[in-house]
Amino acid sequence: AALALVDGKRAAAAGLPARAWPSLLAEAKAQAPFDAALGDWLAGVYLADTLDAALARRGELAAGECWLTPEGHRVDAVSVRYHAEASGDGLMARKQQLDQAAARADALRPEIDALQKKRDSLLSMGNMLAEAVRGQKGSLTRLEAELNAATLEHVKLDQAARQGAARLSAIEAERGRIAEERRQAAEGIAEAELMGEEAALTLEELGLQLEEARLERLNAETRLELARNKARDAERVLHEIKLALHSAEQKVAELSRRGRELADRDEQLQERLETLVGEAETVDEAVPEEALQLALAEREARDGEVSAARDRLNQLTERMREITQRQHEANAALPALREARSDWLLKHQEARLAMERFAEELAQAEADEAALLADLNEGVKPNALAAEIARLARALEGLGAVNLAALQELDEAKKRGEYLQNQSDDLNQAMATLVEAISKIDGETRDMLQATYDAVNAKMREFFPTLFGGGRAELVLTGEDLLDAGVQIIAQPPGKKNSTIHLLSGGEKALTAMSLVFSLFSLNPAPFCLLDEVDAPLDDANTSRFCDLVKQMSERTQFLYISHNRLTMEMAEQLVGVTMQEQGVSRIVAVDIVEALKMRETA
């Protein structure tokens, strides 16, 4: 701001010559100590009635002198300065404004006094209201503290409940895993039993072939020594086959024993499963941390045992695969061995029968073998004896063959018939048991599926109007048989009579899908639920209803969702954001709502 300093001790300086004209200094009423300064400022300033008069007498002015008009125009000897009315900074204008302001102040004085009194009363009332507001703020602060404490307690209880639910889910998962391992072990036992039955059938076929080979009657017309050598070779091959069969029987017995061990292990796992189920039923929602750690350690130990059992089962499976491979190889080599064995058995049988027949003939003839040996000298030709033996054999063949093993064959056929009858009865009984089990499983499955369908349909009828603010939705079966039928969704928002969900908008389809998903979650709650921008096609009203339903469902399930919606983010207990302050570098920014409330309360 402009500032003028006046030296009140100095006297007025001698200036312009005195004139008889009306001057501004004569009109000013200055007092000490401003009279000297005012005389210096206003020296040579004379008053003119009009601008024309000032212009007419401008030639009479000396240097430093000027005429001043009532309008504020200033006229000196060489120039004219016109006053601008709009600026409002002239002395005369200011004087007029001051006069007007004083008159207006005098007129407004009573009103100002009345307003002053009203202001004083309003100030007193405002002080009273301020005291009342301060009291209410104290009450509000106490209520907010109580609310924050209740919120923290609720969060703690919610976390404890979620931990209990997570433990229960882990126990259920372990139970399912044990049931799956039990099923796999049962399948392994069944496969081992099937392999044992196949091995038994193979043994039976070999026995039948052996019996058929023994029942064949052959005539011996070849040399005896060669037949004996070939018979010994055939006996050696037969012994090797018997050893292989015995080894297969031992492996089948080993597989049966291991199957029994797996059954025992399955019973132990079932007992452990029942114990875990009992613990799951009696588990407290607020599980101590120490008990939880012990349970987790025990679970890891049981997981190790299950892994070991699974490894043993894999080893048994690998061994069974090796045995099957060896069995296939044996089956591939079996036709050649059967053919060779049949050839050797044929020749051995021929030689044995020839020897027995020759001995029997000698016994029937009551021949003296010692005398005959004496008669056998170098002069007797074997060919002649062989020709004679052949002639005698043809004569015997003309008499016809007698089957001396018919009774033995009959007994063996009866035994085999009884065995086959027992096998047939066992198979029929097993088939009946299997059909009964299948029927029972179908019935239980149909009941469980019907109960699940009814529960999901009821929840969907409840959640759909909640999300849409009205309307109806239901699940409809597309077939008569529940096990083979499909499921169709009928959804009609408020004010619509559509026949299919394909006629709905994107947001309506999203809400319909959410009602179905939440219905399934309410039937079998999972520990976590991940939602990826499901509120993107929703408006504010639908988003508010969606948030209310998520809050209701969060009592049993923890929701993790990605959203850009303000209303949805306000519902969260903890916010995690991803920012990119630098190009190509992302950062995670997390906000804990509970901690933020604590900080606000502290502030």
Side-chain angles (χ1 to χ4, degrees):
L3 177 64
L5 301 178
V6 177
D7 188 1
K9 297 180 181 180
R10 296 179 64 89
L16 298 172
R19 294 180 184 272
W21 300 339
S23 64
L24 183 59
L25 182 59
E27 296 293 329
K29 302 290 196 255
Q31 298 178 357
F34 302 101
D35 51 350
L38 192 60
D40 184 57
W41 293 342
L42 301 181
V45 179
Y46 302 101
L47 300 177
D49 295 332
T50 60
L51 179 60
D52 295 334
L55 292 174
R57 300 182 65 180
R58 62 184 295 189
E60 301 175 2
L61 296 174
E65 294 180 341
C66 65
W67 292 100
L68 188 64
T69 66
E71 292 81 9
H73 303 312
R74 185 175 180 272
V75 180
D76 58 11
V78 294
S79 63
V80 179
R81 296 182 184 177
Y82 291 96
H83 173 67
E85 297 292 340
S87 62
D89 55 354
L91 294 177
M92 299 303 292
R94 290 183 181 180
K95 184 176 182 302
Q96 292 177 1
Q97 290 177 1
L98 288 174
D99 295 338
Q100 293 175 1
R104 183 172 178 80
D106 294 336
L108 295 176
R109 182 67 61 185
E111 186 177 356
I112 291 173
D113 294 337
L115 293 175
Q116 185 67 29
K117 293 178 180 179
K118 187 175 182 180
R119 175 178 174 274
D120 294 337
S121 63
L122 291 176
L123 286 175
S124 62
M125 185 180 295
N127 292 330
M128 295 173 62
L129 292 176
E131 291 294 334
V133 169
R134 281 194 291 270
Q136 293 295 329
K137 284 185 177 179
S139 301
L140 181 61
T141 303
R142 289 193 300 272
L143 291 176
E144 287 182 350
E146 293 176 359
L147 178 60
N148 293 332
T151 303
L152 292 175
E153 186 66 23
H154 176 70
V155 170
K156 291 180 181 178
L157 292 176
D158 190 25
Q159 290 178 355
R162 289 174 180 174
Q163 290 177 359
R167 173 168 173 76
L168 182 61
S169 300
I171 292 173
E172 291 294 336
E174 184 177 359
R175 179 180 180 183
R177 187 165 54 253
I178 292 174
E180 181 65 20
E181 292 178 357
R182 178 182 179 185
R183 184 184 63 78
Q184 294 178 358
E187 291 179 355
I189 293 172
E191 291 179 358
E193 290 178 353
L194 291 176
M195 292 183 64
E197 292 179 358
E198 291 178 357
L201 292 175
T202 303
L203 290 174
E204 185 179 357
E205 291 178 357
L206 292 176
L208 290 175
Q209 293 178 1
L210 182 61
E211 292 298 329
E212 291 175 357
R214 288 178 179 175
L215 295 177
E216 293 180 356
R217 180 180 180 182
L218 301 173
N219 295 320
E221 294 180 355
T222 58
R223 291 175 298 176
L224 183 60
E225 189 66 23
L226 181 60
R228 289 179 178 177
N229 294 333
K230 292 182 179 181
R232 284 194 294 269
D233 294 337
E235 287 177 355
R236 185 174 64 254
V237 173
L238 180 62
H239 181 67
E240 291 176 356
I241 294 175
K242 288 182 178 180
L243 289 177
L245 293 177
H246 182 67
S247 177
E249 291 175 352
Q250 290 180 350
K251 290 179 180 179
V252 171
E254 179 67 16
L255 291 176
S256 300
R257 183 181 63 81
R258 292 184 179 179
R260 290 191 296 272
E261 291 179 357
L262 289 175
D264 295 338
R265 179 61 181 170
D266 188 23
E267 293 178 357
Q268 295 177 1
L269 292 175
Q270 183 64 28
E271 293 177 357
R272 178 59 185 165
L273 178 60
E274 294 175 356
T275 304
L276 292 175
V277 170
E279 292 178 359
E281 293 177 352
T282 58
V283 66
D284 190 7
E285 290 184 355
V287 182
E289 187 66 20
E290 182 179 1
L292 182 58
Q293 295 297 331
L294 292 175
L296 290 175
E298 184 177 0
R299 176 190 171 188
E300 292 177 357
R302 292 297 178 265
D303 289 340
E305 293 178 1
V306 172
S307 299
R310 190 181 294 107
D311 294 337
R312 289 195 297 271
L313 182 61
N314 293 331
Q315 292 177 2
L316 290 176
T317 305
E318 186 65 24
R319 294 197 59 182
M320 290 178 63
R321 189 181 297 108
E322 294 176 0
I323 292 173
T324 304
Q325 183 65 27
R326 294 177 61 183
Q327 182 182 3
H328 290 328
E329 295 175 359
N331 291 333
L334 190 61
L337 292 176
R338 286 177 179 175
E339 184 177 1
R341 175 174 172 272
S342 300
D343 189 13
W344 294 118
L345 287 176
L346 175 63
K347 294 178 180 179
H348 177 267
Q349 186 71 11
E350 289 176 355
R352 184 177 63 80
L353 291 176
M355 291 178 62
E356 290 177 357
R357 189 176 61 183
F358 292 155
E360 185 179 0
E361 290 175 355
L362 291 175
Q364 290 177 358
E366 297 180 353
D368 189 2
E369 295 183 5
L372 292 175
L373 290 174
D375 293 335
L376 292 176
N377 50 27
E378 296 180 357
V380 178
K381 301 296 183 183
N383 294 331
L385 294 176
E388 185 63 18
I389 291 172
R391 184 184 64 80
L392 295 175
R394 286 192 295 271
L396 291 175
E397 288 179 358
L399 298 177
V402 178
N403 188 5
L404 302 177
L407 296 177
Q408 184 179 1
E409 293 178 358
L410 179 61
D411 294 336
E412 292 177 354
K414 288 181 179 180
K415 291 179 180 180
R416 178 166 176 75
E418 292 176 356
Y419 174 75
L420 293 176
Q421 184 64 36
N422 293 331
Q423 292 291 325
S424 177
D425 295 339
D426 292 340
L427 290 175
N428 292 329
Q429 185 178 1
M431 290 173 62
T433 303
L434 184 59
V435 170
E436 182 180 358
I438 292 173
S439 177
K440 183 178 179 181
I441 291 172
D442 289 342
E444 293 178 356
T445 304
R446 187 175 285 103
D447 294 339
M448 293 176 63
L449 185 57
Q450 183 67 43
T452 303
Y453 169 77
D454 294 338
V456 173
N457 207 356
K459 285 293 182 180
M460 190 168 182
R461 292 193 185 102
E462 177 184 352
F463 289 153
F464 186 85
T466 302
L467 288 174
F468 280 89
R472 70 179 190 89
E474 62 179 350
L475 300 177
V476 179
L477 297 176
T478 59
E480 296 180 356
D481 190 1
L482 185 62
L483 298 179
D484 298 331
V487 179
Q488 184 178 4
I489 300 176
I490 302 299
Q492 293 181 349
K496 289 190 177 182
K497 298 296 182 181
N498 56 299
S499 60
T500 176
I501 61 174
H502 298 291
L503 300 178
L504 300 178
S505 63
E508 291 172 342
K509 290 181 181 178
L511 289 177
T512 303
M514 280 187 279
S515 65
L516 178 59
V517 172
F518 286 158
S519 300
L520 296 174
F521 263 77
S522 63
L523 180 64
N524 187 13
F528 296 94
C529 178
L530 179 61
L531 304 177
D532 187 4
E533 296 189 16
V534 297
D535 57 351
L538 305 182
D539 55 7
D540 290 345
N542 290 328
T543 302
S544 299
R545 290 193 289 268
F546 163 71
C547 293
D548 294 338
L549 185 57
V550 170
K551 288 180 181 179
Q552 178 182 351
M553 296 290 293
S554 63
E555 297 177 356
R556 304 178 64 184
T557 301
Q558 186 173 4
F559 285 87
L560 305 175
Y561 56 84
I562 301 170
S563 176
H564 299 283
N565 194 303
R566 174 182 55 82
L567 297 177
T568 308
M569 288 188 286
E570 289 177 355
M571 176 185 60
E573 296 179 359
Q574 186 171 4
L575 297 176
V576 178
V578 180
T579 63
M580 185 180 292
Q581 296 181 354
E582 300 178 9
Q583 184 65 28
V585 180
S586 299
R587 291 185 59 190
I588 302 298
V589 180
V591 177
D592 192 339
I593 304 301
V594 178
E595 294 296 331
L597 292 175
K598 291 182 180 179
M599 294 175 64
R600 187 190 70 174
E601 183 65 25
T602 303

